[in-house]
Amino acid sequence: MHDLYTWLFRLALPLMLFYLWWRGRADTAYRKRWRERFGSVISHQGTEKYADGAVRIWIHSASVGETLATIPLIKTLAARHPQWQWLVTTTTPTGSQRVHEALGPILNERLLHYYIPFDLPEFLTPFIEDLRPSILIIMETELWPNLLAVCHKRKIPTILVNGRLSAKSARGYARFSGLSRKMLRHITRVLTQYPTDAERFVDLGMPIERIKAVGSIKFDLHINADMISDAEALSRQWRGESHRQVLLAASTHGGEDELLLDAYDTLRKNFPDLLLVLVPRHPVRADAVARLCKDRGLKAVRRSDGLAPNIDDQVLLGDTLGELLCFYGACDVAFVGGSLVPVGGHNMIEPAAWGIPVVCGPHLHNFSTVSSLIQESGGLVIAETSLQLADKIAVWLSNKEQRIAAGNGAQQVASQNSGALGRTVTEIEELMCAKLS
């Protein structure tokens, strides 16, 4: 089964290249650095930094969501082990950008970043031989059969952290049980978010002694004094002298923006000064979202222009990277996207940590346990249509006490479930100690 997978992957390679080229129509970064996807290590990145015998930690986080969860893990480990060097691979340009912005100034000469090669031995083997990682840390669900097989063959320990496995994904892996079982046995350690995730991995063939449920590291948010100050400044800027209310629609996908703008039109009947801060998941969609606003006669201003919205602006288009966490601290109610369309939802822990009540769509399989916990606290509600969105948001906008109570419930869930980061760090350090001994 493994050999069949490898040959099918080779046959599909032209389609993957066409996909990258197609994505490059909207984001030209997809058409760049293709050599890396074939395992080529570009010398000008500074591989000479990697002296023989150095400890090299390889972390793979596919896209921006996984990368955001990776950053505090790397910062914690890097502070505890200043001699370690870091190789971070991503799949998407947005993930790449966040790596350079968030980690480059901190790690400096200790950081390398590449796109991960296609999952074929002829690309992965030279990549690994050139960069010589000591360990591979994989974020969440980025499981690739040949990647794990090559690491296993070269005796490189692999650990899956913040692992999650939805019932839907588990059924998909089970359809190819021969391939999945062999792949999972190549993983040295699996740290899952919750016991249900661990049970699904075991059902698929992961040895039970290699797996542990430690919680989600996304709960370990550190909202420091600088963030609070920045959020307060944003809030004053957005609200202006009229103290207008702010609705944040975060990480939206195509098909969601239209529903949110419909809901916003409905909400403006009772909240005429309401400011909608609309943040597409991928900033390259900003032009398309701006056209949607213009077609509806809405006056929008872009965050990237550096201008504060005035009382006549109805929409602030969040087309920058790295500011969303701060945005949550400046709003009254937050919608978290990827949930009105079957993406599986994005991180609703961030608004919860600020004490902000959350509205989501019904597609939450990527955060099934987290969303259930926050929903049980009263801090999250589900809406499926634009009218439902408007109704549920209106309840919180019109009732401050109820809004605060809902936010407090969400914040309590975030606080009670923290601690997974420390447990994950301990497990990684133990694995590295065994590797180096």
Side-chain angles (χ1 to χ4, degrees), residues 64 68 97-98 101 283 320-327:
V64 67
L68 290 173
Q97 185 176 346
R98 288 301 296 135
E101 290 177 349
T320 56
L321 281 173
E323 293 191 294
L324 185 56
L325 182 57
C326 189
F327 284 5

Side-chain angles (χ1 to χ4, degrees), residues 159-286:
I159 179 169
L160 179 71
V161 305
N162 215 45
R164 57 180 173 83
L165 190 62
S166 68
K168 180 180 178 181
S169 296
R171 288 192 297 270
Y173 281 117
R175 281 195 286 269
F176 304 95
S177 58
L179 178 64
S180 300
R181 187 174 295 273
K182 182 178 180 180
M183 177 182 69
L184 291 174
R185 290 183 179 273
H186 285 156
I187 305 176
T188 310
R189 198 87 172 100
V190 171
L191 304 179
T192 67
Q193 297 182 17
Y194 299 103
T196 51
D197 299 302
E199 290 167 6
R200 290 173 186 140
F201 275 107
V202 171
D203 290 342
L204 288 173
M206 183 71 198
I208 193 169
E209 66 275 10
R210 300 186 196 173
I211 196 164
K212 180 186 290 188
V214 299
S216 173
I217 64 176
K218 291 184 177 180
F219 277 111
D220 288 272
L221 283 173
H222 178 54
I223 299 175
N224 58 37
D226 288 340
M227 289 184 190
I228 293 172
S229 177
D230 289 345
E232 290 174 347
L234 270 183
S235 179
R236 290 191 296 270
Q237 182 186 90
W238 291 352
R239 297 173 192 278
E241 295 181 359
S242 65
H243 303 288
R244 66 197 302 194
Q245 291 180 296
V246 178
L247 168 63
L248 172 62
S251 299
T252 63
H253 290 252
E256 293 183 312
D257 305 292
E258 295 86 348
L259 292 172
L260 285 158
L261 290 172
D262 287 342
Y264 179 63
D265 284 339
T266 301
L267 286 165
R268 286 174 59 211
K269 296 173 184 176
N270 293 318
F271 307 94
D273 293 336
L274 179 66
L275 175 67
L276 172 63
V277 180
L278 184 53
V279 185
R281 178 69 172 179
H282 302 105
V284 294
R285 294 185 52 248

Side-chain angles (χ1 to χ4, degrees), residues 8 14 21 25 48 69 113 158 175 205 237 295 344 370-371 377 396 416 426:
L8 288 174
W21 177 86
R25 295 178 310 146
E48 65 276 3
H113 169 268
T158 53
R175 281 195 286 269
Q237 182 186 90
D295 291 344
V370 172
S371 59
S377 77
W396 281 330
Q416 290 174 344
T426 298

